[in-house]
């Protein structure tokens, strides 16, 4: 299963979990950041920065303002960059690919909600244009009751 990367500074790409892992410079035991959850994960910001150095070394704009991840079930989360200092992508548990959350799962240890720990991530997008003050999550294109009321 390929994971799509969308980024205007480092370029778009379709990568396998293996390719993502190989490009990531900082791997951690998930338990070090999320007590009680076993597994191997790589640091999101270290991975982003390494990709950027490698793929567009001449480009020296600012860091992203947010990251949006999307899952196979269309659950998605948009998280301000400042909330991602401890964020990791989990890729392995008990020495094997994930049983739950395959191919990779985002964990945001110092994020505003556990709901941001998106399982089965297949798309990762970095945004540079619109500041995001607060993390949001939910199913894509879901119409809320409030919106339905407005439309009637
Ligand atoms: N792909 C996907 N990831 C998801 C969700 C989901 O519905 N789909 N639910 C989120 C919510 S609301 C919570 S609280 C946690 C629950 O994590 P758990 O299944 O490990 O308890 O997963 C988050 N990640
Ligand atoms: Mo949740």
């Amino acid at each position: 299963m390929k994971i799509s990367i969308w980024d205007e500074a480092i370029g778009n790409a379709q990568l396998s979990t293996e390719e993502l892992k190989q490009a990531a410079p900082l791997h951690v035991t998930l338990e070090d950041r999320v007590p009680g959850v076993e597994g191997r994960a790589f640091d999101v910001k270290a991975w982003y920065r390494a990709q950027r150095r490698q793929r567009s070394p001449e480009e020296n704009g600012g860091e992203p303002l947010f990251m949006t991840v999307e899952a196979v079930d269309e659950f998605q989360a948009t998280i301000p960059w400042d909330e991602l200092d401890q964020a990791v992508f989990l890729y392995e548990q008990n020495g094997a690919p994930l049983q739950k959350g395959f191919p990779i799962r985002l964990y945001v240890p110092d994020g505003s909600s556990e709901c941001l720990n998106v399982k089965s991530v297949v798309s990762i997008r970095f945004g540079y244009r619109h500041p995001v003050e607060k993390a949001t999550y939910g199913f894509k294109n879901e119409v809320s009751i409030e919106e339905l009321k407005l439309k009637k």
Side-chain angles (χ1 to χ4, degrees), residues 71-73 75 100 105 107 114-120 137 139:
V72 277
D73 62 358
F75 189 81
K100 176 174 133 181
R105 179 174 191 177
Y107 272 90
E114 288 198 8
C115 310
L116 302 176
N117 298 335
V118 181
K119 290 169 266 194
S120 304
Y137 56 87
F139 287 95

Side-chain angles (χ1 to χ4, degrees), residues 69-142:
V69 296
E70 203 181 302
V72 277
D73 62 358
E74 298 202 334
F75 189 81
Q76 60 175 26
T78 292
I79 303 148
W81 196 243
D82 290 348
E83 253 179 71
L84 293 168
D85 286 350
Q86 297 297 313
V88 291
F89 282 112
L90 173 71
Y91 55 84
E92 185 182 296
Q93 280 181 314
N94 305 310
L98 305 186
Q99 297 265 347
K100 176 174 133 181
F102 181 85
I104 56 173
R105 179 174 191 177
L106 177 68
Y107 272 90
V108 190
D110 51 4
S112 50
S113 168
E114 288 198 8
C115 310
L116 302 176
N117 298 335
V118 181
K119 290 169 266 194
S120 304
V121 170
V122 287
S123 166
I124 305 169
R125 188 152 44 89
F126 297 97
Y128 299 84
R129 294 171 201 277
H130 313 285
V132 167
E133 279 177 24
K134 206 170 154 292
T136 55
Y137 56 87
F139 287 95
K140 201 179 170 181
N141 298 328
E142 189 173 88

Side-chain angles (χ1 to χ4, degrees), residues 45-69:
K45 286 196 172 178
W47 167 75
Y48 169 84
R49 288 170 183 149
Q51 286 291 288
R52 185 145 165 187
R53 266 196 307 276
Q54 193 193 333
R55 292 161 70 173
S56 53
E58 72 291 341
E59 212 270 335
N60 53 11
E63 291 221 305
L65 300 171
F66 62 88
M67 179 177 80
T68 297
V69 296

